[in-house]
């Protein structure tokens, strides 16, 4: 609704010779892509980095994409970043070992693109979703794949938007084995009505002790923020961390993301066989 009203207003101002106000950069007008991009030659393993936003757009997306590209290329792998959802077709997806959603938000796919992504996962490939890729803007089928157990209730706002607390860490996974059992972190902490699905393996949960949280943002000992699960034979990983641009230069956070990508691409770790 915002996008339509703004476009009409912009057109009216243009006719009157006035300068139109900028569109809201945080709420882009939703679009659906139909023409796939041309891919460059890719060396395997190859990782697709996807950051389309048909809902809220995070300032940190460019930082996240650059950081993920750097991590992938440091492994000697290929990375391809795009916001064109038409790349979700069987022929092009087959060229990638894992897909990473860098705060991609909203309902992004046509029915054919959705089917291609689901088929890709059914083939046992990998999927890493980061921060906004797990908020409440996504359709139900996607939330089920991610392993979300209840409706998204948001995050603290105002002066309490960003808070520092401990994350209680399970260090058994390649993404978290470098962290301390209690990892101090500052974040826009997401919350849901319920913990992840029963088949999800929680790797980091929030210690809410001493935090300023509304009742709807409290999940007690089940406030999961990082987890993995199997979608059939596909490896699925989610981390709610990464709102601020500076998190994408934090060594511990980057090592978590790198470990998640290596695991999703089946180059390290176990699960989903």
């Amino acid at each position: 609704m915002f996008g339509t009203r703004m476009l009409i207003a912009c057109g009216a101002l243009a006719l009157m010779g006035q300068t139109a106000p900028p569109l809201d950069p945080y709420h882009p007008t939703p679009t659906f892509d139909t023409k796939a991009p041309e891919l460059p030659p890719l060396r395997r393993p190859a990782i697709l980095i996807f950051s389309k936003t048909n809902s809220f757009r995070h300032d940190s997306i460019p930082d996240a994409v650059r950081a993920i590209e750097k991590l992938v290329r440091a492994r000697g792998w290929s990375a391809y970043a795009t916001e064109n959802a038409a790349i979700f077709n069987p022929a092009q997806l087959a060229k990638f070992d894992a897909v990473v959603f860098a705060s991609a938000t909203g309902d992004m796919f046509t029915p054919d693109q959705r089917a291609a992504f689901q088929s890709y996962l059914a083939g046992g490939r990998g999927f890493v979703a980061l921060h906004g890729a797990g908020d409440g803007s996504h359709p139900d089928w996607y939330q089920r794949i991610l392993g979300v157990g209840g409706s998204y209730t948001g995050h603290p706002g105002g002066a309490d938007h960003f808070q520092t607390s401990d994350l209680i860490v399970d260090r058994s996974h390649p993404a978290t084995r470098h962290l301390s059992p209690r990892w101090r972190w500052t974040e826009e902490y997401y919350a849901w009505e319920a913990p992840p699905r029963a088949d999800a393996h929680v790797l980091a949960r929030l210690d809410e002790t001493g935090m300023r949280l509304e009742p709807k943002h409290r999940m007690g000992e089940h406030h999961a923020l990082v987890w993995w699960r199997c979608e059939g034979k596909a490896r699925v990983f989610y981390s709610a961390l990464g709102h601020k641009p500076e998190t994408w230069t934090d060594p511990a956070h980057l090592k978590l993301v790198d470990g998640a990508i290596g695991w999703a691409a089946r180059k390290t770790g176990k699960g989903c066989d």
Side-chain angles (χ1 to χ4, degrees):
M1 180 62 74
F2 174 90
T4 301
R5 289 176 176 172
M6 181 62 79
L7 288 172
I8 293 171
C10 290
L13 287 170
L15 289 173
M16 293 186 292
Q18 298 180 25
T19 302
L23 296 176
D24 184 350
Y26 296 107
H27 298 90
T29 301
T31 60
F32 292 91
D33 306 302
T34 57
K35 184 177 180 181
E38 292 187 12
L39 288 176
L42 298 171
R43 180 176 60 253
R44 306 296 290 271
I47 304 299
L48 172 60
I49 305 166
F50 185 63
S51 55
K52 185 177 182 68
T53 49
N54 268 355
S55 186
F56 185 84
R57 185 170 185 86
H58 287 76
D59 286 334
S60 60
I61 285 176
D63 304 88
V65 170
R66 283 193 296 268
I68 296 165
E69 286 179 320
K70 186 175 180 180
L71 291 173
V72 172
R73 288 170 180 156
R75 288 175 168 267
W77 300 2
S78 295
Y80 181 77
T82 185
E83 299 201 351
N84 185 342
I87 198 171
F88 284 79
N89 63 76
Q92 290 188 317
L93 282 178
K95 299 179 183 294
F96 295 98
D97 298 89
V99 174
V100 179
F101 278 19
S103 282
T105 58
D107 188 355
M108 300 168 286
F109 299 129
T110 66
D112 286 347
Q113 292 160 8
R114 166 184 169 177
F117 185 39
Q118 291 175 315
S119 178
Y120 173 84
L121 294 176
R125 299 300 179 91
F127 176 41
V128 176
L130 302 172
H131 193 57
D135 71 10
S137 66
H138 302 273
D140 289 345
W141 68 266
Y142 172 93
Q143 301 281 30
R144 286 192 294 271
I145 288 172
L146 208 60
V148 174
S151 297
Y152 175 72
T153 58
H155 55 75
D160 297 331
H161 189 176
F162 298 100
Q163 297 185 52
T164 301
S165 188
D166 285 346
L167 303 187
I168 301 168
V169 178
D170 175 348
R171 302 173 65 239
S172 65
H173 192 277
T176 55
R177 62 173 54 130
H178 66 288
L179 298 172
S180 60
R182 296 185 71 89
W183 179 32
R184 198 73 172 164
W185 187 251
T186 301
E187 187 59 75
E188 168 194 78
Y189 286 114
Y190 282 3
W192 297 266
E193 286 182 338
R197 287 174 43 167
D199 62 356
H201 303 261
V202 176
L203 297 176
R205 59 185 177 87
L206 181 63
D207 183 350
E208 296 180 349
T209 305
M211 294 188 68
R212 301 175 303 279
L213 299 173
E214 297 178 43
K216 66 179 180 178
H217 297 146
R218 287 197 174 275
M219 300 177 66
E221 295 182 355
H222 303 288
H223 200 145
L225 292 168
V226 182
W227 64 80
W228 68 270
R229 65 174 298 270
C230 301
E231 177 68 14
K233 292 186 177 181
R235 291 183 172 185
V236 177
F237 187 100
Y238 176 63
S239 169
L241 312 182
H243 178 87
K244 287 188 171 184
E246 51 263 40
T247 63
W248 293 99
T249 57
D250 183 277
H253 180 237
L254 292 177
K255 201 164 184 179
L256 182 151
V257 173
D258 183 58
I261 293 170
W263 175 79
R266 294 185 178 270
K267 302 304 177 183
T268 186
K270 300 178 181 179
C272 313
D273 298 321

